[in-house]
Amino acid sequence: MGTSFAVVLVFVGCCSNVVFLELLVREFPGCGNIVTFAQFLFIALEGFIFETSFGRKKPAIPVRNYVFMVTMFFTVSVINNYALNFNISMPLHMIFRSGSLIANMIMGIIILKKRYSASKYLSIALVSAGIFICTIMSAKQVNVAKEGSEEQGFYAFVHWLIGIGMLTFALLMSARMGIFQETLYKQYGKHSKEALFYNHCLPLPGFLLLSTDIYKHCVLFNQSTPVVIPVVGLAIPIMWLYLLINIITQYVCIRGVFILTTECASLTVTLVVTLRKFLSLIFSIIYFQNPFTAWHWVGTAVVFLGTLLYTEVWSSVQAALRGPTDKDKKAE
């Protein structure tokens, strides 16, 4: 029951979150900072009330460790959202972030000196190839879309390259953060809800650096078309409504993933999250009519094939189809 409920939360919460994020970005492409701030503030308030009991509960992991982890988490979140300002489409954004599993593996090889099987290295090649195909196709679309003067086309392409660089940096930084979390949990035990709170609470002062941009978008949101909320009869600007729903769906998504991590194997969690990303991508392409060529489909398929290969889904399915082994029968 708990697992099924968690899967529903992940799919409904995360897919809805992508929809409302795209609605916000389409109207105001530079609204990434206000979206990030609102999400962090909401999750920090919820954690302060329910996880720390209004600050009375002491953390199991020393705060100094959280400060280092939070610096990386804040940087990744801000850069990921800010990259949308640089001609990065939502489908490409989602495809790039699908490489997080492989990025974590690469950082594990470099930092922890881990060694993997041949199938794992093949999965790295597939995901890298898939992201490369989608990136090259998106680069061509940027050039076509900005066909004005040669100078305008070159500026748009450089602008897009900066966005790609930001996404790459955020992907590797996120993987580095994952390794740091792994070593931290080995030392102090798993405290996912506590980490969720501190990851969202400690960075809040950092948003002072972005206060001018956040205030500018508050003004822009206030000027958006007002809509009436049926039940309460209250009229609010539509962009604030989109932001509110985005925050709630983000929280539902994170809660669903948290329940899965406590009740399922990591393979199951990875598979559910991967399938969710794929569905979000398909929905974004169909509903918002985002440009997506046959080569984009090829690249996307290769990315998800590589991810599934990494998680060894095929081996698990074959084992399930074969039924219990002789060892299992003897144990019975």
Side-chain angles (χ1 to χ4, degrees):
M1 177 66 180
T3 303
S4 302
F5 179 65
V7 171
V8 171
L9 287 182
V10 171
F11 276 89
V12 173
C14 298
C15 292
S16 302
N17 178 259
V18 169
V19 171
F20 285 96
L21 176 61
E22 181 143 6
L23 287 170
L24 287 162
V25 170
R26 281 184 167 237
E27 189 68 28
F28 298 109
C31 69
N33 290 331
I34 191 173
V35 172
T36 309
F37 172 68
Q39 290 174 350
F40 273 54
L41 183 63
F42 181 84
I43 294 172
L45 284 173
E46 188 274 341
F48 181 72
I49 296 167
F50 297 105
E51 171 59 24
T52 70
S53 301
F54 295 94
R56 292 194 297 268
K57 181 183 174 184
K58 290 184 178 180
I61 299 174
V63 175
R64 66 177 180 276
N65 290 313
Y66 280 124
V67 170
F68 181 65
M69 186 161 64
V70 157
T71 303
M72 290 188 283
F73 183 67
F74 176 75
T75 305
V76 167
S77 298
V78 170
I79 289 177
N80 265 327
N81 282 333
Y82 200 65
L84 293 168
N85 295 4
F86 292 82
N87 294 335
I88 301 294
S89 68
M90 280 301 293
L92 181 61
H93 194 271
M94 284 185 274
I95 292 164
F96 235 88
R97 295 182 72 175
S98 296
S100 57
L101 191 67
I102 310 303
N104 188 272
M105 179 180 168
I106 293 170
M107 295 300 281
I109 294 169
I110 296 169
I111 297 170
L112 301 179
K113 309 299 181 186
K114 288 185 176 180
R115 291 294 176 266
Y116 298 92
S117 62
S119 64
K120 292 287 193 291
Y121 289 114
L122 177 60
S123 69
I124 286 184
L126 287 171
V127 171
S128 301
I131 291 175
F132 179 75
I133 291 168
C134 290
T135 304
I136 292 298
M137 290 299 106
S138 297
K140 288 183 178 179
Q141 286 178 349
V142 169
N143 287 333
V144 170
K146 304 287 181 180
E147 270 184 346
S149 68
E150 189 176 329
E151 188 179 339
Q152 283 179 325
F154 178 74
Y155 173 77
F157 183 69
V158 170
H159 205 60
W160 176 83
L161 279 179
I162 293 170
I164 293 296
M166 292 170 73
L167 286 179
T168 304
F169 176 80
L171 192 66
L172 294 173
M173 177 71 81
S174 178
R176 179 66 185 88
M177 184 180 72
I179 289 172
F180 181 74
Q181 279 180 312
E182 186 181 327
T183 54
L184 210 58
Y185 290 157
K186 279 181 182 177
Q187 186 176 353
Y188 297 100
K190 288 188 177 182
H191 302 279
S192 303
K193 286 189 73 176
E194 179 184 287
L196 185 66
F197 166 68
Y198 283 103
N199 275 345
H200 289 82
C201 178
L202 293 179
L204 288 176
F207 284 101
L208 289 171
L209 300 171
L210 309 169
S211 57
T212 305
D213 182 70
I214 292 170
Y215 176 74
K216 183 183 83 173
H217 282 89
C218 283
V219 173
L220 291 172
F221 279 22
N222 285 335
Q223 294 170 353
S224 62
T225 308
V227 290
V228 178
I229 301 174
V231 180
V232 294
L234 181 70
I236 64 168
I238 194 167
M239 297 307 290
W240 286 115
L241 181 63
Y242 287 162
L243 182 61
L244 177 63
I245 298 173
N246 176 268
I247 293 166
I248 293 169
T249 52
Q250 172 77 358
Y251 174 73
V252 169
C253 176
I254 288 175
R255 287 292 295 160
V257 172
F258 168 72
I259 295 170
L260 277 179
T261 56
T262 57
E263 296 198 11
C264 304
S266 59
L267 172 63
T268 306
V269 178
T270 304
L271 180 58
V272 170
V273 172
T274 302
L275 290 174
R276 191 279 302 169
K277 286 178 180 177
F278 186 71
L279 282 180
S280 296
L281 178 65
I282 300 301
F283 189 84
S284 173
I285 293 160
I286 296 171
Y287 185 79
F288 292 103
Q289 297 181 339
N290 283 310
F292 216 72
T293 66
W295 279 107
H296 280 96
W297 284 113
V298 170
T300 304
V302 172
V303 167
F304 285 99
L305 177 64
T307 305
L308 293 175
L309 180 64
Y310 179 90
T311 55
E312 298 178 348
V313 170
W314 314 123
S315 302
S316 301
V317 170
Q318 287 174 350
L321 291 174
R322 280 199 300 267
T325 61
D326 293 337
K327 189 184 287 185
D328 295 328
K329 290 175 181 176
K330 286 177 183 177
E332 289 174 3

